[in-house]
């Protein structure tokens, strides 16, 4: 399927989605969000895809995504704003619940909706020139694509509230030090590092990866006892798979496992 504001590339079991609005630092228009919804729905349903990298395409300045498209926000009334928030949150929820890992390769500005997209991803790595933040309050609005909920869960309430209320951007090194990104790379090495991570994930049992993501993500919003109970159920369920038998047998036979997603 062709997209106007995205590029979707496939390299075997890896899909690379690049947001591409070069003249607007990859800002998220509603049309871009709608395309992201379609693209990620397709990737979710494609059993051959084991891992996804989300990044920003070439732009005027290094950019992952510089936020929601401010020109579109300018005319919104409350009903339009709620629709937009539902659309943006829908994209983020879809990414978080994709059932396969999504790696955000943050290659420049990740602001507002751009940071919210990255927060919905399962792993975040950044180029040394990345700048991340939720500047919404500087525009007189609040984050609407999940930022007020996912940022505190990731970096803790104290740091999140500072960033949300000041709108301050952090550079890549500070982002790493507060746990907002896992590692920082020279810009030219970012995509290769993301692909290396993706390769490690793709070599693992895909059902195991999916259920482990599910256990962790669902458990994060549950009391500990409920999360642990959920983990038990999924641990039992994984024991019905051929891949579990293959993974354990391969270890005992001292050979690499051949997982079949079954
Ligand atoms: N929405 C719409 N257009 C955007 C945009 C956004 N979120 N971010 C950048 N752009 C556009 C600019 O309007 C400009 O377009 P123009 O060339 O037609 O005037 C182009 O992208 C380049 O941006 P510019 O501001 O000239 O680049 P810069 O290097 O001086 O500054 C930023 C870069 C990221 C600091 C600045 O663009 C910015 O603050 N953007 C908004 C970030 C934001 O608040 N996002 C949250 C929105 S809720």
């Amino acid at each position: 399927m062709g997209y106007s504001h995205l590029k979707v590339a496939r390299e075997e079991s890896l899909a690379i989605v690049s947001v591409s609005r070069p003249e607007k630092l990859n800002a998220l228009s509603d049309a871009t969000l709608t395309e992201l919804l379609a693209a990620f729905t397709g990737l979710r349903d494609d059993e051959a895809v084991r891992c996804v990298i989300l990044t920003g395409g070439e732009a005027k300045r290094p950019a992952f995504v510089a936020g929601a498209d401010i020109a579109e926000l300018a005319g919104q009334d409350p009903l339009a704003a709620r629709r937009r928030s539902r659309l943006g949150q829908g994209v983020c929820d879809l990414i978080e619940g994709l059932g396969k890992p999504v790696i955000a390769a943050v290659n420049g500005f990740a602001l507002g909706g751009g940071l919210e997209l990255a927060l919905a991803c399962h792993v975040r790595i950044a180029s040394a020139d990345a700048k991340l933040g939720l500047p919404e309050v500087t525009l007189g609005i609040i984050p609407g694509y999940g930022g007020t909920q996912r940022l505190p869960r990731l970096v803790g309430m104290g740091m999140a509230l500072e960033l949300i209320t000041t709108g301050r951007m952090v550079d890549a090194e500070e982002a790493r030090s507060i746990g907002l990104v896992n590692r920082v790379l020279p810009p030219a090495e970012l995509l290769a590092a993301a692909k290396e991570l993706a390769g490690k994930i793709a070599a693992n049992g895909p059902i195991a990866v999916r259920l482990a993501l599910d256990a962790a993500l669902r458990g994060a919003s549950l009391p500990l006892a409920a999360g642990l109970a959920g983990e038990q159920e999924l641990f039992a369920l994984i024991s019905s798979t051929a891949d579990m038998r293959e993974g354990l047998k391969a270890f005992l036979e001292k050979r690499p496992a051949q997982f079949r997603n079954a």
Side-chain angles (χ1 to χ4, degrees):
M1 176 171 172
Y3 297 105
S4 304
H5 311 303
L6 300 180
K7 294 200 173 75
V8 182
R10 282 289 293 274
E11 295 181 10
E12 297 171 12
S13 65
L14 170 67
I16 303 174
V17 178
S18 311
V19 179
S20 180
R21 290 186 74 214
E23 71 292 354
K24 298 291 175 196
L25 305 186
N26 304 328
L28 294 176
S29 59
D30 293 347
T32 312
L33 286 171
T34 304
E35 289 191 355
L36 280 168
L37 208 53
F40 274 96
T41 300
L43 297 172
R44 179 195 62 195
D45 296 342
D46 186 339
E47 292 284 334
V49 173
R50 297 281 170 85
C51 189
V52 182
I53 293 173
L54 177 61
T55 194
E58 287 267 324
K60 283 179 169 177
R61 297 187 53 180
F64 175 73
V65 166
D69 189 314
I70 294 170
E72 289 186 355
L73 300 183
Q76 74 186 11
D77 63 13
L79 283 180
R82 178 171 297 150
R83 264 199 308 277
R84 180 163 287 128
S85 176
R86 196 178 295 142
L87 175 62
Q89 286 190 3
V91 171
C92 291
D93 289 350
L94 174 65
I95 289 173
E96 191 174 70
L98 205 70
K100 43 196 112 184
V102 184
I103 300 169
V106 179
N107 57 330
F109 288 112
L111 303 175
L115 181 55
E116 290 170 306
L117 268 186
L119 287 168
C121 294
H122 306 104
V123 178
R124 283 157 295 281
I125 61 176
S127 60
D129 56 1
K131 296 252 183 331
L132 304 91
L134 292 176
E136 281 86 346
V137 292
T138 69
L139 300 164
I141 58 172
I142 72 166
Y145 301 169
T148 63
Q149 303 306 302
R150 289 194 175 94
L151 189 63
R153 284 167 166 80
L154 187 64
V155 304
M157 190 61 87
M159 183 53 78
L161 291 186
E162 178 191 323
L163 296 180
I164 290 168
T165 56
T166 60
R168 178 170 77 83
M169 289 184 213
V170 296
D171 63 17
E173 220 19 82
E174 185 176 358
R176 195 192 53 74
S177 76
I178 63 174
L180 184 50
V181 302
N182 295 0
R183 62 185 87 141
V184 178
L185 293 125
E189 293 170 26
L190 181 69
L191 197 58
K195 287 183 186 179
E196 195 185 325
L197 273 172
K200 288 200 172 115
I201 291 164
N204 296 329
I207 303 174
V209 169
R210 183 165 74 243
L211 296 189
L213 279 179
D214 202 37
L217 289 166
R218 269 205 271 171
S221 55
L222 292 173
L224 180 63
L228 290 171
E231 186 188 73
Q232 277 184 24
E233 294 307 320
L234 295 176
F235 189 73
L237 182 64
I238 198 78
S239 299
S240 66
T241 64
D243 277 355
M244 182 208 77
R245 289 189 292 283
E246 163 62 10
L248 301 181
K249 190 157 171 274
F251 177 85
L252 296 172
E253 292 172 0
K254 301 188 188 307
R255 61 173 174 82
Q258 299 292 327
F259 294 114
R260 292 185 297 105
N261 196 19

